[in-house]
mmCIF file of all heavy atoms in Angstrom:
data_model
loop_
_atom_site.group_PDB
_atom_site.id
_atom_site.type_symbol
_atom_site.label_atom_id
_atom_site.label_comp_id
_atom_site.label_asym_id
_atom_site.label_seq_id
_atom_site.Cartn_x
_atom_site.Cartn_y
_atom_site.Cartn_z
ATOM 1 N N HIS A 2 -17.830 -85.312 -32.422
ATOM 2 C CA HIS A 2 -18.211 -86.495 -32.980
ATOM 3 C C HIS A 2 -18.556 -87.494 -31.913
ATOM 4 O O HIS A 2 -18.710 -88.663 -32.204
ATOM 5 C CB HIS A 2 -16.955 -87.152 -33.832
ATOM 6 C CG HIS A 2 -16.873 -86.344 -35.154
ATOM 7 N ND1 HIS A 2 -16.076 -86.687 -36.145
ATOM 8 C CD2 HIS A 2 -17.270 -85.099 -35.392
ATOM 9 C CE1 HIS A 2 -16.093 -85.746 -37.194
ATOM 10 N NE2 HIS A 2 -16.841 -84.846 -36.713
ATOM 11 N N SER A 31 -39.296 -80.462 -37.162
ATOM 12 C CA SER A 31 -40.502 -81.242 -37.107
ATOM 13 C C SER A 31 -40.298 -82.547 -37.945
ATOM 14 O O SER A 31 -41.111 -83.434 -37.679
ATOM 15 C CB SER A 31 -41.588 -80.482 -37.615
ATOM 16 O OG SER A 31 -41.561 -80.278 -39.047
ATOM 17 N N VAL A 33 -37.565 -84.608 -37.806
ATOM 18 C CA VAL A 33 -36.516 -85.536 -37.222
ATOM 19 C C VAL A 33 -37.186 -86.780 -36.793
ATOM 20 O O VAL A 33 -36.749 -87.865 -37.126
ATOM 21 C CB VAL A 33 -35.836 -84.708 -36.011
ATOM 22 C CG1 VAL A 33 -34.934 -85.920 -35.379
ATOM 23 C CG2 VAL A 33 -34.909 -83.611 -36.508
ATOM 24 N N LYS A 35 -41.207 -88.382 -34.946
ATOM 25 C CA LYS A 35 -42.685 -88.037 -34.625
ATOM 26 C C LYS A 35 -42.738 -87.241 -33.235
ATOM 27 O O LYS A 35 -43.378 -86.379 -33.098
ATOM 28 C CB LYS A 35 -43.451 -89.345 -34.413
ATOM 29 C CG LYS A 35 -43.934 -89.910 -35.803
ATOM 30 C CD LYS A 35 -44.829 -91.093 -35.544
ATOM 31 C CE LYS A 35 -45.108 -91.785 -36.837
ATOM 32 N NZ LYS A 35 -45.775 -93.052 -36.671
ATOM 33 N N ARG A 64 -52.727 -78.349 -36.405
ATOM 34 C CA ARG A 64 -51.263 -78.651 -36.357
ATOM 35 C C ARG A 64 -50.672 -77.863 -35.251
ATOM 36 O O ARG A 64 -49.709 -78.267 -34.474
ATOM 37 C CB ARG A 64 -50.560 -78.258 -37.627
ATOM 38 C CG ARG A 64 -49.082 -78.224 -37.604
ATOM 39 C CD ARG A 64 -48.413 -79.401 -38.214
ATOM 40 N NE ARG A 64 -46.988 -79.399 -38.054
ATOM 41 C CZ ARG A 64 -46.022 -79.225 -39.007
ATOM 42 N NH1 ARG A 64 -46.497 -79.124 -40.312
ATOM 43 N NH2 ARG A 64 -44.828 -79.135 -38.851
ATOM 44 N N ARG A 436 -32.613 -62.635 -55.270
ATOM 45 C CA ARG A 436 -33.748 -63.433 -54.874
ATOM 46 C C ARG A 436 -35.164 -62.893 -55.580
ATOM 47 O O ARG A 436 -36.047 -63.530 -55.649
ATOM 48 C CB ARG A 436 -34.006 -63.338 -53.480
ATOM 49 C CG ARG A 436 -32.802 -64.092 -52.617
ATOM 50 C CD ARG A 436 -33.159 -64.418 -51.156
ATOM 51 N NE ARG A 436 -33.545 -63.113 -50.535
ATOM 52 C CZ ARG A 436 -32.819 -62.549 -49.592
ATOM 53 N NH1 ARG A 436 -31.488 -62.854 -49.354
ATOM 54 N NH2 ARG A 436 -33.275 -61.306 -48.917
ATOM 55 N N GLU A 460 -36.172 -66.302 -56.276
ATOM 56 C CA GLU A 460 -37.353 -66.832 -55.613
ATOM 57 C C GLU A 460 -38.628 -66.158 -56.326
ATOM 58 O O GLU A 460 -39.669 -66.817 -56.353
ATOM 59 C CB GLU A 460 -37.471 -66.558 -54.145
ATOM 60 C CG GLU A 460 -36.321 -67.459 -53.391
ATOM 61 C CD GLU A 460 -36.359 -67.186 -51.862
ATOM 62 O OE1 GLU A 460 -37.156 -66.319 -51.411
ATOM 63 O OE2 GLU A 460 -35.701 -67.929 -51.228
ATOM 64 N N HIS A 475 -40.050 -71.903 -70.629
ATOM 65 C CA HIS A 475 -39.512 -73.061 -70.393
ATOM 66 C C HIS A 475 -38.127 -72.805 -69.682
ATOM 67 O O HIS A 475 -37.814 -73.547 -68.739
ATOM 68 C CB HIS A 475 -39.355 -73.858 -71.613
ATOM 69 C CG HIS A 475 -38.584 -75.195 -71.345
ATOM 70 N ND1 HIS A 475 -39.223 -76.345 -70.686
ATOM 71 C CD2 HIS A 475 -37.333 -75.625 -71.537
ATOM 72 C CE1 HIS A 475 -38.381 -77.216 -70.642
ATOM 73 N NE2 HIS A 475 -37.182 -76.922 -71.182
ATOM 74 N N ARG A 485 -40.132 -69.567 -56.507
ATOM 75 C CA ARG A 485 -41.412 -69.872 -55.845
ATOM 76 C C ARG A 485 -42.555 -69.000 -56.320
ATOM 77 O O ARG A 485 -43.694 -69.423 -56.158
ATOM 78 C CB ARG A 485 -41.101 -69.406 -54.347
ATOM 79 C CG ARG A 485 -39.947 -70.172 -53.802
ATOM 80 C CD ARG A 485 -40.283 -71.629 -53.473
ATOM 81 N NE ARG A 485 -40.264 -71.834 -52.059
ATOM 82 C CZ ARG A 485 -39.182 -71.715 -51.403
ATOM 83 N NH1 ARG A 485 -38.101 -71.505 -51.759
ATOM 84 N NH2 ARG A 485 -39.292 -71.843 -50.081
ATOM 85 N N ARG A 510 -44.866 -71.571 -54.935
ATOM 86 C CA ARG A 510 -46.056 -71.195 -54.310
ATOM 87 C C ARG A 510 -47.149 -70.818 -55.147
ATOM 88 O O ARG A 510 -48.244 -71.255 -54.986
ATOM 89 C CB ARG A 510 -45.684 -69.880 -53.369
ATOM 90 C CG ARG A 510 -46.839 -69.573 -52.520
ATOM 91 C CD ARG A 510 -46.525 -68.226 -51.739
ATOM 92 N NE ARG A 510 -45.560 -68.414 -50.706
ATOM 93 C CZ ARG A 510 -45.106 -67.223 -50.004
ATOM 94 N NH1 ARG A 510 -45.451 -66.040 -50.207
ATOM 95 N NH2 ARG A 510 -44.257 -67.521 -49.030
ATOM 96 N N ARG A 561 -50.057 -74.328 -55.377
ATOM 97 C CA ARG A 561 -50.119 -75.622 -54.720
ATOM 98 C C ARG A 561 -50.953 -75.535 -53.426
ATOM 99 O O ARG A 561 -50.936 -74.461 -52.846
ATOM 100 C CB ARG A 561 -48.728 -76.122 -54.433
ATOM 101 C CG ARG A 561 -47.961 -75.249 -53.547
ATOM 102 C CD ARG A 561 -46.459 -75.699 -53.481
ATOM 103 N NE ARG A 561 -45.709 -74.800 -52.546
ATOM 104 C CZ ARG A 561 -44.415 -75.011 -52.371
ATOM 105 N NH1 ARG A 561 -43.779 -75.942 -52.973
ATOM 106 N NH2 ARG A 561 -43.761 -74.077 -51.571
ATOM 107 N N MET B 1 -34.638 -80.481 -74.766
ATOM 108 C CA MET B 1 -33.993 -79.150 -74.628
ATOM 109 C C MET B 1 -32.921 -79.380 -73.709
ATOM 110 O O MET B 1 -32.908 -79.244 -72.547
ATOM 111 C CB MET B 1 -35.006 -78.086 -74.096
ATOM 112 C CG MET B 1 -36.198 -77.936 -74.969
ATOM 113 S SD MET B 1 -37.325 -76.714 -74.530
ATOM 114 C CE MET B 1 -38.695 -77.032 -75.384
ATOM 115 N N ASN B 77 -17.792 -89.852 -38.387
ATOM 116 C CA ASN B 77 -16.784 -89.079 -39.180
ATOM 117 C C ASN B 77 -17.083 -89.041 -40.565
ATOM 118 O O ASN B 77 -17.145 -87.928 -41.291
ATOM 119 C CB ASN B 77 -15.347 -89.538 -39.062
ATOM 120 C CG ASN B 77 -14.737 -89.268 -37.708
ATOM 121 O OD1 ASN B 77 -15.092 -88.237 -37.058
ATOM 122 N ND2 ASN B 77 -13.954 -90.143 -37.266
ATOM 123 N N ARG B 104 -30.315 -87.197 -35.617
ATOM 124 C CA ARG B 104 -30.882 -88.358 -34.964
ATOM 125 C C ARG B 104 -29.707 -89.221 -34.282
ATOM 126 O O ARG B 104 -30.014 -89.685 -33.167
ATOM 127 C CB ARG B 104 -31.525 -89.258 -36.071
ATOM 128 C CG ARG B 104 -32.768 -88.602 -36.614
ATOM 129 C CD ARG B 104 -33.601 -89.608 -37.425
ATOM 130 N NE ARG B 104 -34.683 -88.970 -38.177
ATOM 131 C CZ ARG B 104 -34.647 -88.803 -39.471
ATOM 132 N NH1 ARG B 104 -33.712 -89.244 -40.276
ATOM 133 N NH2 ARG B 104 -35.701 -88.087 -39.992
ATOM 134 N N PHE B 107 -28.415 -87.342 -31.113
ATOM 135 C CA PHE B 107 -29.445 -87.308 -30.005
ATOM 136 C C PHE B 107 -29.986 -88.641 -29.816
ATOM 137 O O PHE B 107 -30.910 -88.896 -28.952
ATOM 138 C CB PHE B 107 -30.593 -86.352 -30.253
ATOM 139 C CG PHE B 107 -30.158 -84.911 -30.183
ATOM 140 C CD1 PHE B 107 -29.668 -84.170 -31.282
ATOM 141 C CD2 PHE B 107 -30.122 -84.250 -29.006
ATOM 142 C CE1 PHE B 107 -29.320 -82.920 -31.241
ATOM 143 C CE2 PHE B 107 -29.650 -82.986 -28.854
ATOM 144 C CZ PHE B 107 -29.303 -82.280 -30.003
ATOM 145 N N ASP B 112 -39.006 -92.491 -36.647
ATOM 146 C CA ASP B 112 -40.122 -93.501 -36.591
ATOM 147 C C ASP B 112 -41.144 -93.003 -37.641
ATOM 148 O O ASP B 112 -42.307 -93.375 -37.618
ATOM 149 C CB ASP B 112 -40.729 -93.592 -35.216
ATOM 150 C CG ASP B 112 -41.011 -92.162 -34.709
ATOM 151 O OD1 ASP B 112 -40.651 -91.275 -35.253
ATOM 152 O OD2 ASP B 112 -41.462 -92.186 -33.592
ATOM 153 N N TYR B 113 -40.832 -92.069 -38.594
ATOM 154 C CA TYR B 113 -41.750 -91.728 -39.606
ATOM 155 C C TYR B 113 -41.946 -92.813 -40.574
ATOM 156 O O TYR B 113 -40.965 -93.368 -41.045
ATOM 157 C CB TYR B 113 -41.345 -90.492 -40.379
ATOM 158 C CG TYR B 113 -41.740 -89.239 -39.749
ATOM 159 C CD1 TYR B 113 -40.739 -88.308 -39.259
ATOM 160 C CD2 TYR B 113 -43.047 -88.726 -39.657
ATOM 161 C CE1 TYR B 113 -41.077 -87.033 -38.801
ATOM 162 C CE2 TYR B 113 -43.446 -87.630 -39.146
ATOM 163 C CZ TYR B 113 -42.460 -86.718 -38.719
ATOM 164 O OH TYR B 113 -42.716 -85.509 -38.146
ATOM 165 N N GLU B 124 -46.664 -80.473 -46.092
ATOM 166 C CA GLU B 124 -47.353 -79.497 -45.326
ATOM 167 C C GLU B 124 -46.377 -78.279 -44.918
ATOM 168 O O GLU B 124 -46.829 -77.191 -45.064
ATOM 169 C CB GLU B 124 -47.995 -80.111 -44.129
ATOM 170 C CG GLU B 124 -48.877 -79.186 -43.287
ATOM 171 C CD GLU B 124 -49.623 -79.788 -42.141
ATOM 172 O OE1 GLU B 124 -50.639 -80.507 -42.339
ATOM 173 O OE2 GLU B 124 -49.038 -79.824 -40.909
ATOM 174 N N ASN B 125 -45.122 -78.658 -44.489
ATOM 175 C CA ASN B 125 -44.207 -77.575 -44.129
ATOM 176 C C ASN B 125 -43.945 -76.761 -45.305
ATOM 177 O O ASN B 125 -43.935 -75.430 -45.160
ATOM 178 C CB ASN B 125 -42.906 -78.275 -43.648
ATOM 179 C CG ASN B 125 -43.009 -78.900 -42.382
ATOM 180 O OD1 ASN B 125 -43.954 -78.559 -41.532
ATOM 181 N ND2 ASN B 125 -42.010 -79.689 -41.972
ATOM 182 N N LYS B 126 -43.675 -77.317 -46.467
ATOM 183 C CA LYS B 126 -43.318 -76.499 -47.657
ATOM 184 C C LYS B 126 -44.411 -75.851 -48.197
ATOM 185 O O LYS B 126 -44.402 -74.618 -48.655
ATOM 186 C CB LYS B 126 -42.656 -77.343 -48.650
ATOM 187 C CG LYS B 126 -41.156 -77.738 -48.294
ATOM 188 C CD LYS B 126 -40.518 -78.201 -49.637
ATOM 189 C CE LYS B 126 -39.497 -77.337 -50.104
ATOM 190 N NZ LYS B 126 -38.422 -76.978 -49.183
ATOM 191 N N ASP B 130 -44.286 -72.050 -45.503
ATOM 192 C CA ASP B 130 -42.891 -71.815 -46.048
ATOM 193 C C ASP B 130 -42.709 -70.367 -46.391
ATOM 194 O O ASP B 130 -43.619 -69.699 -46.987
ATOM 195 C CB ASP B 130 -42.763 -72.556 -47.354
ATOM 196 C CG ASP B 130 -41.401 -72.654 -47.841
ATOM 197 O OD1 ASP B 130 -40.382 -72.542 -46.956
ATOM 198 O OD2 ASP B 130 -41.146 -72.699 -49.021
ATOM 199 N N GLY B 133 -37.379 -65.719 -49.037
ATOM 200 C CA GLY B 133 -36.304 -64.972 -48.468
ATOM 201 C C GLY B 133 -36.456 -63.505 -48.897
ATOM 202 O O GLY B 133 -35.938 -62.562 -48.436
#
Side-chain angles (χ1 to χ4, degrees):
Chain A
H2 291 197
S31 71
V33 172
K35 283 186 187 165
R64 169 104 184 247
R436 295 195 304 260
E460 294 181 354
H475 176 76
R485 304 282 247 295
R510 186 185 289 173
R561 61 188 179 183
Chain B
M1 302 185 191
N77 284 331
R104 291 184 190 118
F107 289 95
D112 53 356
Y113 272 118
E124 190 173 273
N125 284 346
K126 279 196 112 61
D130 192 30

